[in-house]
Amino acid sequence: MNSYAESVLNNLRKRYPHEPEYLQAATEILESLSAVIEKHPEYEKAGLLERFVEPERMVTFRVSWVDDSGKVRVNTGYRVQFNSAIGPYKGGLRFHPTVNASVIKFLGLEQILKNSLTGLPIGGAKGGSDFDPKGKSDAEVMRFCQAFVSELFRHIGPDIDVPAGDIGVGAREIGYMYGYYKKLVNANECAFTGRGISYGGSLVRKEATGYGLVYFTREMLKTKGEKFKDKKVVISGSGNVAIYANEKATQMGAKVIAMSDSDGYIYDKDGVDVEIIKKIKEVERKRISEYLKYRPDAKYIQGCNGIWTIPCDIALPCATQNELDAGSASALIKNGCIAVAEGANMPCTLEAVKLFLDFGVLFAPAKAANAGGVAISALEMAQASQRMFWSFDRVDKELDNIMVNIFKQCADAAQEYGFPGNYVVGANIAGFVKVADAMMAYGIV
Ligand code: NDP
């Protein structure tokens, strides 16, 4: 690693030893930026990397709400406004018990580069809470969302910071949060994306991350003369990203043979029926084990890791961070997997990524492969400013073009800096250069 990047990383390790996810993301990024830093000695003089890895602002706040039994509950809310060099802060909100400052900072840091790669004018942010929507009634989720926004609203706005969804935050939660925001500020403005179609949302937003992941993977497969048709695909998760990755891969002629949730996974040799998964997860909000009621010949296996031992051609981890470790990567490689593309954020550990690269498995890093969601969020903002709605086909075509362009940027940057086919290095460099140029132009701020 370049000595300047290494000193910045060592300093972070000293200051944030209790933030492992944030350090993991910073390590991956700083390691792969070495080549570009060597070319720009002026970055060190300007303290560019120190400023890049430190959030511009982070707010932590109390969220007090009342459950259905009348008991007062308290959660912690977070918003990290990491970098606004190229546009207003933009990034999702995650509601999950594992949320803490480290998780939010890792997601925010990644988001800066992801948003830059889309080619759209959006800065990087992320937020959320350790609140768990699972098992809560609609009324409890609504009261929580309103309490959360009663603090968050003062930090966001259409030209300042525009949150969206992430794990545990789907259409229902965005509806409750935007409804309360609108009431508080007395304005109908695009301060959240992922909104319903009847109140300012964009067509294809729901599908965007999963579809975009498959478009990116299609481009990557092309470099080896491969395509989705007739390939066996394993997808972890059964949430927003996983469902629409299944839908698009199936449309392209692949067979998705396994999906999961945090309890276990299903294996269906005839292809997992995505309409059944939508019914179980989007409508009934039940467990994936219910799938066997509709498809008795499928198998359900308790526990998540085993999903990567199923022989497949393409693996799409779409659940959560660090869900695919070195052992799982070895199993995939041994079984002849040719491509892995990250739908979730940082689902593969650093060791797993290294194995994929060493063994010549095509590997698509999250910040490039799952950028489709935030790209369509930015198009939702554009439609809101125009007071226009674009058709499904138009937005889907825009999404496809954006993903093709992201792939090209990653491939070109990897080639230019001497790492052909390494899209991890390519994505980090291509995303970083644009942000770095803007930060240099602003002087020390
Ligand atoms: P959802 O909440 O819709 O779905 C998450 C899925 O992952 C669920 O099936 C969930 O199962 C499973 N899951 C969660 N935690 C674990 C765990 N510890 N082990 C195994 N499975 C788990 O989230 P999304 O689909 O929106 O997000 C998934 C990933 O994609 C996240 O990393 C997110 O940051 C990333 N992402 C999402 C975008 C979007 O547009 N939605 C955009 C870019 C990235 P269960 O129901 O049991 O909890």
Side-chain angles (χ1 to χ4, degrees), residues 94 96 107 114 126 134 165-168 205 209 237-242 260-263 281 287 304 318-321 343-345 370 373:
R94 176 177 293 191
H96 195 268
L107 290 165
K114 180 185 309 193
K126 202 79 191 190
K134 225 181 289 168
D166 190 75
I167 291 179
R205 175 59 190 91
T209 308
S238 47
N240 175 259
V241 181
S260 62
D261 63 19
S262 56
D263 292 337
K281 288 294 177 181
R287 309 312 297 159
C304 301
C318 295
T320 193
Q321 64 267 14
N345 283 312
N370 73 18

Side-chain angles (χ1 to χ4, degrees), residues 129-144:
S129 173
D130 55 0
F131 170 76
D132 188 358
K134 225 181 289 168
K136 305 287 189 303
S137 69
D138 279 353
E140 287 176 322
V141 171
M142 181 182 76
R143 287 195 294 274
F144 174 82

Side-chain angles (χ1 to χ4, degrees), residues 63-75 131 136-137 139-144 147:
V63 188
S64 322
W65 56 285
V66 181
D67 71 16
D68 285 349
S69 69
K71 189 173 176 327
V72 175
R73 303 280 196 116
V74 178
N75 288 96
F131 170 76
K136 305 287 189 303
S137 69
E140 287 176 322
V141 171
M142 181 182 76
R143 287 195 294 274
F144 174 82

Side-chain angles (χ1 to χ4, degrees), residues 1-7 30-31 33-35 37-38 44 49:
M1 191 188 312
N2 164 280
S3 61
Y4 170 41
E6 195 164 12
S7 76
L30 289 172
E31 265 176 3
L33 289 180
S34 283
I37 293 161
E38 296 283 346
E44 185 167 1
L49 287 183

